[in-house]
Amino acid sequence: MSGWYAAAPLIVAMTTAAATTLAHAMPRTQRALSLAGAFALLAASIALMDAVWRGGMIVVQSSNWDAPFGITLAVDTFGAVMTLIAAITGAACLIFAIPEIEERHRRAWFHPLSHVLLLGVCGAFITGDLFNLYVWFEVMLIASFGLMTIGGTKAQTDGAVKYVALNLVATLLFLLAVGLIYGMTGTLNYADLSRTIPNVGNTGVLTASAMLLMAAFGMKAAVFPLFFWLPAAYHTPLVSVSAVFAGLLTKVGVYALMRAFTLLFTHDVGWTHEILLWVSGLTMITGVLGAAAQSEMRRILSWHIISQIGYMVMGLALYTPLAIVGSVFYLVHHIIVKANLFLIAGVAARLTGSMELKKIGGLYQSAPLLGVLFFIPAFSLAGFPPLSGFWAKLILVRAALEGREWWIAAAALVTGLLTIYSMTKIWGEAFWKPHPEGGEAAAPLAAAPAAMLAPIVTLAAMTIVIGLFAQPFWIVAERAAAEMLDPTVYAAAVLGGLP
Amino acid sequence: MEVPLALLIGLLTGVATWLMLSRNLIRLLLGFAVLGNAVNLLIFTAGRLTRDVPPLVPLDAEAIEGAFANPLPQALVLTAIVIGFGLLAFALVLAWQAYVRLGTIRTDEMREAEPPGEVKP
Amino acid sequence: MNSLILRAATRVLAPMMLMLSLFLLWRGHNLPGGGFIGGLVATSAIALQGIAFGPEVARRTLVLPPAVLAGVGLVVAVIATLPAGLVELPFFTGLWLKLDLGDGAILPLSTPLLFDIGVFLVVIGGVCAILLALEEDPETDQAGEP
Amino acid sequence: MPGLSGEGHAADEGLEGRFRSGRAVLTVVLAPFVAAGAAPLLVRLLGHRASFVLALVPAASFLWLVARTDEATPGILESTPWVPGLDVALDFSLDGLSLIFSLLISGIGTLIVVYAGGYLKGHPMLGRFFLFLMMFMGAMQGVVLADNVVSLFVFWELTSLASYLLVGFESSKPAARRAALQALLITGTGGLALLAGLLMLANAGGSWRISDLTGAGSWIQDDPLYLPILILVVLGCFTKSAQWPFHSWLPGAMQAPTPVSAYLHSATMVKAGVYLLARLDPALGGSPEWLWILTGIGGLTMLMGVVFALLETDLKLVLAWTTVSALGTLVFLLGPTHEPGAKAAMAFLLVHALYKGALFMAAGNVDHEAGTRDLTKLGGLMRVMPVTFATAALACVSMAGLPLGLGWVAKELIGAAKIALEDEFGITVIAATLTNLMLFCVAAIVAIVPFTGKPTEPAEHAHEAPWSMLAGPVVLSSLGLVFGMAPNLVADSLIAAATTAVMGRKATLDIVLFKAVDWKFLLTLATFAAGAVLFAFWRRSAARWRAALNPTLDRGPDRGYDHAMAGLAALATWQTRIWQPGLLHRYMAASFAVVTLAVAASLARGDVRFNLSFDGGRLIEWAVFAVTAAAGLVAAFATTRLLAVTALGMLGLGVAMIFMLFGAPDLAITQFMVETLVVVILALVLIRLPGFRLSSRSDRPRWLYGSISVGTGAIVTLLLLGVLAEPFDPRLSEWFGATAVPDAFGHNIVNVILVDFRALDTLGEIIVVFAAALSALAAIGIGARARR
């Protein structure tokens, strides 16, 4: 029966999506259902994490057909951690959304689409089947399309067009790769694939198909040079929407990359992971330089998503136990921090009237507490000790140095420095600089609804806790990495005695 | 017939790519539709072609006698068709809305989110 | 389109197509068909109504707003995944209840069938929502910002 | 985890034995952080008097440390686990070197906190000020006490962060914001280099404990990575300690309130780099590279700092430049890695902290009470501010190296160090003598110019500072006098103990205040005389010097920083324009091209076989293929909408036929139905887009886009042919065929897969349809319609 732990997040998210649809004509009921659903998802994912932590990997053969014939849900530590963090982010952003969204946004199906998005994200983390992963990706994608357009400003429409068009390409590349891999192995189950892939004789075609998959996931993860859709769109939607996107969507791509290139395609590490290493370095540098060129808060933050994705891919590319730990740690830290920064940018814009740094200022005087709340995730993002981002970077840099990959270590450090540059730009302009329109132009923090501040405070507290008490998180990440690096355990858990 | 079909799929992919590189949003979406068809055909073909019977067990039998078409790619393609349809339908509606809000369907004239020349230090 | 012939044809065709869609849904487990194909046929019927008599008529046929209908379908589909839990089987396991109607006729009720009904409803609701939105007069429904 | 446990610990078993499990040193480090957290609340409750409460924390630490001076020579080691998985622990070590720094931090810290309470009395952000200041204090204690490379780095970065917040404290001033950022970026750059260097050092040494790394001798110098490690570590230390060419942030940091300048930017934080060089000297020092880099850059900085000091008119900037010079002197003295140098460095460290702290606070008093710190406007303050004058004069005695001050002692030791170095570097003696001479002149300027002569206009309104602002300078300058007259109070307990820690062997110190009238003594007297002459010249012609020299000499690195910032912005803008021009067709082209190239390159990485078998095929198949291909081509090149839509419909129909021909009736029906709906939706959308042709005329560059398209198509064909060359594994299909009826009770296997075997896919699929509908409604903005 422990299998229901794995299915529970999906059932909860689906039920909430359906229920909020049915309650569409009743705003208060819908809102209550939406929040209840978000917390139920949180509870389900906590239960899942707990079950996985205590009992090891959870495997469910959905519809009760043995792997590899049916669809397997398989949750190891990594999957459980990601599900939990997705649920946390989802709940935080939905609470933030309550005061943010207006009636017309709500009527445009904000709540059901949000839960469909979370469903897709959780599904991607929970499934153990390549085609099923494709389906969850699409669930997530189509919901993100809708959420991206809610509000309907011109910039949003333009951003949505680019976002949609490029993601459609990624979708088809993914599907193409699934078809090719299925054609070579005759199976779709991760565990089964990890056993059959070494037997494929046509290794050139296999590697090429893996490359296609890498491109598809890389596009979702927004790595160099496939990130175009992200800076084109992420600064346009509602704040709560962009925050949940910033926290989760690209990370699903990273998750998929990590699954695929630890569990499935390790037959030609000298090629695939070397490419990933170059990609990661270029992603960091181009991303952080892109941020340096911006002067609008969310655009700066959007480019920083890209550069940070570079770090996560770097850990995967180095492909050592320590490096994988670094990637996992980085994922967890980054989701919390980045979602929070978008939320804070939203509050800052609410208090000062704009996201454009040139037009705002004075928050240091008018809302010092917001300064503290910004400072924590911003300097964590930049890798300042003793915040969460420091440990994440430390692990990765250490792994790079131990692996004698000097240039990637240098790229990681330089990117950290330029991240400081960007974060201090926001700090200097939005907080320190007096408001260009005079003293009264920046409102005090009390002007922001408590429902917006509560998630920000919670996420900032998590950043500090991860920073000051890193050891438990290290242990979790280490276990996740150890499981990932031993695919035979995963395969045995899913396939049991099958050859 | 795998080889000619592979060539056909390649042709459709090329055509679709050409369409997707267009500055015209409608052409781009036509390209997506064509590419979707090409990919579906590819999955279907990758599961190996057969001119044998469809994967329908006779109503009075427990299993099909002899060879039958591979049912799994069919199920996958069916799912993919539907998903592709959902995405395309949304994208077409978005194209319409882009026209309503931005007054154009040419993507090089859509410069609201990243205005030209505004990238300044 | 105000063609008389279209209207007359629709009056006959639409109910037949709806019947056909139910039939396809029912037999799908054993012969070509199923919830999805059935749903598409039903959708075509309603789209046809929309074209012939206007979207309002089509909306009346659906009873519920299309998006809500899709939501109902989703609820049905999700419910189909759950009963397995009552008998300690994994998520989504198909359960079969074969009702003996006498005379050797057996009515197989099952969660896969329930699920297929959910599929059927979601397809009708979802696709109709898009089609009807497109069929409506574009001048009156620009609720977004300019 | 391989490689994560420090095998090096076992290398030095003697060290293990000294570890204590106490938490006393940890308390010294963490107490200021706790105080920092409480500071805003205390200020809210007590106003500026909160400073007295807060000062108790460093005062207690100071007293505790004083009581530990005897234990410091063997050293006290403590360890508290933090992130054992990463070998990171809160390891602390209190030896002679840490002790002298830690005493300065807590001792001067006590005085500064009291001083700041007076200086910033009534400031609206006093609470925040104490928060940052106390945070800095804890971080700085951490730096000098940490015995773990990572925890050292943690505290190191925290000091940079605190400095950033304190320099930018008057945040409404653009100059303050610029200076804060400059300080952060320069020290941040060095910090990251330091991190890399420390990690490499720890990696090479097999331990993350600094006492392990330094206790094992200079083994590291045989490592091939020695030079990179040295450069990285030195970079970190030099940026922090404002060595040329990284010094420019330090004068800028004078934007901070004076207590900060006195504390961070002269007495403590800027010495962190010196501390770390001294700390790592046993491991890294002694090589020619070490000698050249430290002596060269240190000497240059020493000379440059004092020259610039002579050219300034702002009292605080004069002091800042002499701080730069002093830091250069300290680095210079550490270069040779011999005992006289280390002794001199430790003595000078103490002297400098005492007199510079006093001078900054005195300068702050002048600024605070007279309203300006411009040397050209000040004069005659002696009468209104007698105590301030006395402390400044006393401090300047030390600074000038006159007898009776502790500076005299330090100067003797520096002299000894210079002589020990003379054989190798004759020129350095000249540089050091010149520095002394000019420093004497600066001391004279600071002590004389603001206080003597006729009272100027600012002096008329001035009066003496309150006692809270006098306590600090009085105590520090008096200590300079006391230690100067009785150097044995500090000789063994502090200076020799610190030297012992630096050199890794027992050092002793015999201080003779006056030896004999020999040539060295005469040289000293000559230096004083020359300094006095220089001062006389300065009084007469400083304005002319400034006019002549400032444009040529001044602040190359500072302008370099501006250029670097502008260059960074230009580079960022340039690359962003290239990658992100805002044009979808370019994004598309890049994506397709990259993917195609990556896949093509990967094909060449292994065995590739293609299935080229051909079975002839039926006529109907050929016909359907041909129609489908033709429909595709027409869709691509159609210029009217009707033609394009028709072609798309035909294409869909063709694909449906292909499904039908190869045994997939369900697929064929679905494809047919879906394609019909697509055409309907497409038509409905197109009706709403008047006046647009599907022209492809502007789709350029044609040859490039054409080749991307051909390449993509070719790659897909090749991949598929490669897949088809692989033997197919029919396990799943056969199982489905065998199981559908008996176990899943369905005869349509495809449908059974959809609603049972892989029902979860279908569930996801209908959710896509469901969400597509909602998303489309959201895009149109007519979600409200659902109410009807």
Side-chain angles (χ1 to χ4, degrees), chain D residues 768-783:
Chain D
V768 170
V769 172
F770 164 73
L774 299 190
S775 292
L777 296 181
I780 305 172
I782 56 168

mmCIF file of all heavy atoms in Angstrom, chain D residues 768-783:
data_model
loop_
_atom_site.group_PDB
_atom_site.id
_atom_site.type_symbol
_atom_site.label_atom_id
_atom_site.label_comp_id
_atom_site.label_asym_id
_atom_site.label_seq_id
_atom_site.Cartn_x
_atom_site.Cartn_y
_atom_site.Cartn_z
ATOM 1 N N VAL D 768 -4.236 17.354 -20.602
ATOM 2 C CA VAL D 768 -3.727 18.323 -21.582
ATOM 3 C C VAL D 768 -4.893 18.958 -22.342
ATOM 4 O O VAL D 768 -4.946 20.184 -22.526
ATOM 5 C CB VAL D 768 -2.738 17.650 -22.558
ATOM 6 C CG1 VAL D 768 -2.412 18.582 -23.706
ATOM 7 C CG2 VAL D 768 -1.469 17.260 -21.831
ATOM 8 N N VAL D 769 -5.840 18.129 -22.771
ATOM 9 C CA VAL D 769 -6.986 18.674 -23.502
ATOM 10 C C VAL D 769 -7.756 19.654 -22.617
ATOM 11 O O VAL D 769 -8.101 20.773 -23.021
ATOM 12 C CB VAL D 769 -7.916 17.536 -23.977
ATOM 13 C CG1 VAL D 769 -9.196 18.092 -24.565
ATOM 14 C CG2 VAL D 769 -7.191 16.671 -24.976
ATOM 15 N N PHE D 770 -7.968 19.226 -21.402
ATOM 16 C CA PHE D 770 -8.688 20.042 -20.428
ATOM 17 C C PHE D 770 -7.976 21.384 -20.225
ATOM 18 O O PHE D 770 -8.559 22.467 -20.336
ATOM 19 C CB PHE D 770 -8.750 19.230 -19.118
ATOM 20 C CG PHE D 770 -9.116 20.004 -17.893
ATOM 21 C CD1 PHE D 770 -10.422 20.431 -17.692
ATOM 22 C CD2 PHE D 770 -8.169 20.270 -16.917
ATOM 23 C CE1 PHE D 770 -10.758 21.119 -16.540
ATOM 24 C CE2 PHE D 770 -8.499 20.960 -15.773
ATOM 25 C CZ PHE D 770 -9.804 21.394 -15.578
ATOM 26 N N ALA D 771 -6.665 21.309 -19.987
ATOM 27 C CA ALA D 771 -5.917 22.536 -19.715
ATOM 28 C C ALA D 771 -5.760 23.366 -20.977
ATOM 29 O O ALA D 771 -5.688 24.602 -20.900
ATOM 30 C CB ALA D 771 -4.551 22.199 -19.124
ATOM 31 N N ALA D 772 -5.708 22.703 -22.135
ATOM 32 C CA ALA D 772 -5.617 23.470 -23.378
ATOM 33 C C ALA D 772 -6.853 24.340 -23.522
ATOM 34 O O ALA D 772 -6.779 25.507 -23.927
ATOM 35 C CB ALA D 772 -5.474 22.533 -24.570
ATOM 36 N N ALA D 773 -8.003 23.765 -23.170
ATOM 37 C CA ALA D 773 -9.233 24.547 -23.262
ATOM 38 C C ALA D 773 -9.184 25.734 -22.304
ATOM 39 O O ALA D 773 -9.443 26.877 -22.693
ATOM 40 C CB ALA D 773 -10.435 23.656 -22.940
ATOM 41 N N LEU D 774 -8.810 25.470 -21.052
ATOM 42 C CA LEU D 774 -8.752 26.569 -20.080
ATOM 43 C C LEU D 774 -7.729 27.609 -20.515
ATOM 44 O O LEU D 774 -7.951 28.824 -20.400
ATOM 45 C CB LEU D 774 -8.397 26.034 -18.698
ATOM 46 C CG LEU D 774 -9.339 25.029 -18.065
ATOM 47 C CD1 LEU D 774 -8.972 24.808 -16.611
ATOM 48 C CD2 LEU D 774 -10.783 25.483 -18.182
ATOM 49 N N SER D 775 -6.582 27.129 -21.026
ATOM 50 C CA SER D 775 -5.535 28.062 -21.429
ATOM 51 C C SER D 775 -6.001 28.923 -22.597
ATOM 52 O O SER D 775 -5.706 30.124 -22.643
ATOM 53 C CB SER D 775 -4.270 27.302 -21.815
ATOM 54 O OG SER D 775 -3.706 26.709 -20.679
ATOM 55 N N ALA D 776 -6.710 28.283 -23.525
ATOM 56 C CA ALA D 776 -7.200 29.063 -24.659
ATOM 57 C C ALA D 776 -8.173 30.128 -24.169
ATOM 58 O O ALA D 776 -8.112 31.291 -24.587
ATOM 59 C CB ALA D 776 -7.866 28.144 -25.675
ATOM 60 N N LEU D 777 -9.041 29.736 -23.248
ATOM 61 C CA LEU D 777 -9.974 30.716 -22.697
ATOM 62 C C LEU D 777 -9.220 31.814 -21.954
ATOM 63 O O LEU D 777 -9.557 33.000 -22.047
ATOM 64 C CB LEU D 777 -10.974 30.039 -21.758
ATOM 65 C CG LEU D 777 -11.907 29.006 -22.404
ATOM 66 C CD1 LEU D 777 -12.856 28.442 -21.368
ATOM 67 C CD2 LEU D 777 -12.680 29.617 -23.549
ATOM 68 N N ALA D 778 -8.169 31.413 -21.230
ATOM 69 C CA ALA D 778 -7.378 32.415 -20.516
ATOM 70 C C ALA D 778 -6.746 33.383 -21.503
ATOM 71 O O ALA D 778 -6.702 34.592 -21.275
ATOM 72 C CB ALA D 778 -6.299 31.733 -19.682
ATOM 73 N N ALA D 779 -6.254 32.849 -22.609
ATOM 74 C CA ALA D 779 -5.594 33.702 -23.600
ATOM 75 C C ALA D 779 -6.586 34.679 -24.214
ATOM 76 O O ALA D 779 -6.257 35.838 -24.467
ATOM 77 C CB ALA D 779 -4.947 32.845 -24.685
ATOM 78 N N ILE D 780 -7.796 34.184 -24.457
ATOM 79 C CA ILE D 780 -8.795 35.078 -25.028
ATOM 80 C C ILE D 780 -9.297 36.049 -23.971
ATOM 81 O O ILE D 780 -9.766 37.136 -24.272
ATOM 82 C CB ILE D 780 -9.974 34.274 -25.619
ATOM 83 C CG1 ILE D 780 -9.460 33.255 -26.621
ATOM 84 C CG2 ILE D 780 -10.978 35.180 -26.311
ATOM 85 C CD1 ILE D 780 -10.520 32.303 -27.105
ATOM 86 N N GLY D 781 -9.176 35.642 -22.738
ATOM 87 C CA GLY D 781 -9.672 36.500 -21.666
ATOM 88 C C GLY D 781 -11.161 36.414 -21.489
ATOM 89 O O GLY D 781 -11.810 37.374 -21.083
ATOM 90 N N ILE D 782 -11.751 35.288 -21.842
ATOM 91 C CA ILE D 782 -13.202 35.170 -21.698
ATOM 92 C C ILE D 782 -13.548 34.057 -20.729
ATOM 93 O O ILE D 782 -14.555 33.389 -20.850
ATOM 94 C CB ILE D 782 -13.902 34.904 -23.043
ATOM 95 C CG1 ILE D 782 -13.307 33.661 -23.697
ATOM 96 C CG2 ILE D 782 -13.841 36.117 -23.931
ATOM 97 C CD1 ILE D 782 -14.113 33.169 -24.861
ATOM 98 N N GLY D 783 -12.718 33.894 -19.733
ATOM 99 C CA GLY D 783 -13.023 32.880 -18.738
ATOM 100 C C GLY D 783 -14.370 33.114 -18.089
ATOM 101 O O GLY D 783 -15.042 32.185 -17.670
#
